[in-house]
Amino acid sequence: MLLRDKVCIVTGAASLRGIGYATAELFALHGARVVVADLAMNEKVVADIRTSIDRRISRPADLHGVRCDIGSFDDCRALFESAVARFGRVDCLVNCAAVVKSQPFLAISETDYDFVVDVNLKGAFNLAKAAVEHFVANKGGNIVNVASVAAQRGGGLVGGAHYAASKGGVISLTKSIAREHGPQGVRANAICPSMTETGMLDGMTEERFQEIVSAIPLRRAGKPRDVAGACLFLASDLSAYITGATIDVNGGSHIH
Ligand SMILES: NC(=O)c1ccc[n+]([C@@H]2O[C@H](COP(=O)([O-])OP(=O)(O)OC[C@H]3O[C@@H](n4cnc5c(N)ncnc54)[C@H](O)[C@@H]3O)[C@@H](O)[C@H]2O)c1
């Protein structure tokens, strides 16, 4: 049990096929009290998540669901307040929430750009600010931001330049928080997944999928649990001396 009694917020957790859900499930398996947050969170989604996690861990999970638009700072602060009201404190934030748009550079309108960057980068900023306020008062805490290989390799396989830029911003934001707030016991790290089998790949043809897989050294796409495993490592004390790092979860598809 790597997270026994730790209170962890996981955003972007509404889809049972997603990285956020897989992370919430693995954290619950490791004894965490988990707050699942998403723009799409509602009573039915929370009930479905609860059923699925309880079945997986063979006991009732200590779970709390909150609807949150990470593009709104008020929502992010309210998310932390709700988590504290339920569990007394927050130890860790894992930010998986994001949007993706597949567009050539010249087709990206100002509206497209604002939509992607407002959720992915401003959202990460809003969450991190609410988290750091809480963590500084509590003398410590841990942030894990899910970025993307798109930020490292010059564009995504799925997302356009606005997506890649937003994720590059997330990595930079994470490093800045690690440097500025390390002295107050706050750790911040980023994860860069490559193509992972979630709803984000819906719409990709099987031919294109196989073409990408054939160029990956480990010869398969990522699974949500692959990314969840890296989140668990970074959320736990196994990584107590790691901050400001970017961990690749990419099957060797981008070695640098
Ligand atoms: N799947 C991939 O191939 C891949 C690759 C690299 C990085 N990633 C990253 O992994 C993370 C998880 O993505 P996923 O693949 O599980 O996809 P996903 O679509 O299942 O998860 C994203 C979640 O974010 C939520 N969301 C969107 N806008 C929001 C907002 N304004 N406020 C709160 N929640 C919001 C969505 O409702 C959704 O549940 C994302 O950050 C994504 O960019 C995914």
Side-chain angles (χ1 to χ4, degrees):
M1 289 252 190
L2 292 173
L3 298 176
R4 190 188 295 278
D5 293 333
K6 297 259 191 218
V7 180
C8 303
I9 294 178
V10 181
T11 70
S15 165
L16 296 184
R17 298 162 58 206
I19 291 167
Y21 169 78
T23 301
E25 184 188 272
L26 188 61
F27 280 23
L29 188 66
H30 278 269
R33 290 177 281 172
V34 184
V35 181
V36 283
D38 201 293
L39 185 61
M41 200 59 69
N42 58 40
E43 278 181 24
K44 175 166 186 324
V45 173
V46 179
D48 290 348
I49 291 172
R50 188 183 296 284
T51 304
S52 183
I53 291 183
D54 287 358
R55 191 178 303 136
R56 173 73 177 89
I57 70 175
S58 306
R59 58 179 160 77
D62 220 351
L63 192 78
H64 179 49
V66 180
R67 186 193 171 280
C68 172
D69 176 357
I70 66 166
S72 152
F73 178 67
D74 288 348
D75 267 26
C76 294
R77 191 177 261 165
L79 168 63
F80 275 76
E81 286 168 357
S82 179
V84 170
R86 174 67 186 265
F87 293 129
R89 62 168 202 283
V90 178
D91 300 294
C92 177
L93 163 73
V94 180
N95 176 30
C96 296
V99 291
V100 70
K101 266 195 155 205
S102 190
Q103 295 174 298
F105 179 66
L106 290 178
I108 298 171
S109 68
E110 195 177 342
T111 309
D112 296 324
Y113 176 88
D114 287 347
F115 171 65
V116 171
V117 175
D118 277 357
V119 176
N120 297 1
L121 181 52
K122 188 175 160 207
F125 173 83
N126 288 338
L127 280 168
K129 194 170 171 198
V132 171
E133 281 179 357
H134 179 75
F135 293 161
V136 167
N138 269 19
K139 301 194 172 13
N142 193 347
I143 296 173
V144 180
N145 279 320
V146 177
S148 172
V149 70
Q152 302 168 310
R153 65 179 285 279
L157 299 163
V158 180
H162 43 359
Y163 176 79
S166 72
K167 294 298 191 175
V170 168
I171 295 172
S172 192
L173 176 75
T174 309
K175 290 180 180 180
S176 300
I177 293 165
R179 185 178 297 282
E180 199 172 330
H181 289 286
Q184 291 149 312
V186 178
R187 292 198 292 125
N189 293 288
I191 293 175
C192 285
S194 60
M195 186 174 78
T196 308
E197 292 175 30
T198 74
M200 265 195 190
L201 301 190
D202 289 354
M204 181 183 284
T205 64
E206 180 61 21
E207 195 182 13
R208 175 75 179 127
F209 179 81
Q210 292 304 340
E211 186 191 350
I212 295 168
V213 166
S214 67
I216 300 171
L218 292 183
R219 290 293 186 273
R220 66 171 178 87
K223 306 269 187 205
R225 65 170 175 272
D226 294 319
V227 186
C231 290
L232 175 64
F233 169 67
L234 289 175
S236 79
D237 289 343
L238 288 178
S239 61
Y241 200 52
I242 298 178
T243 196
T246 304
I247 308 276
D248 296 341
V249 183
N250 65 23
S253 59
H254 185 68
I255 297 172
H256 52 110

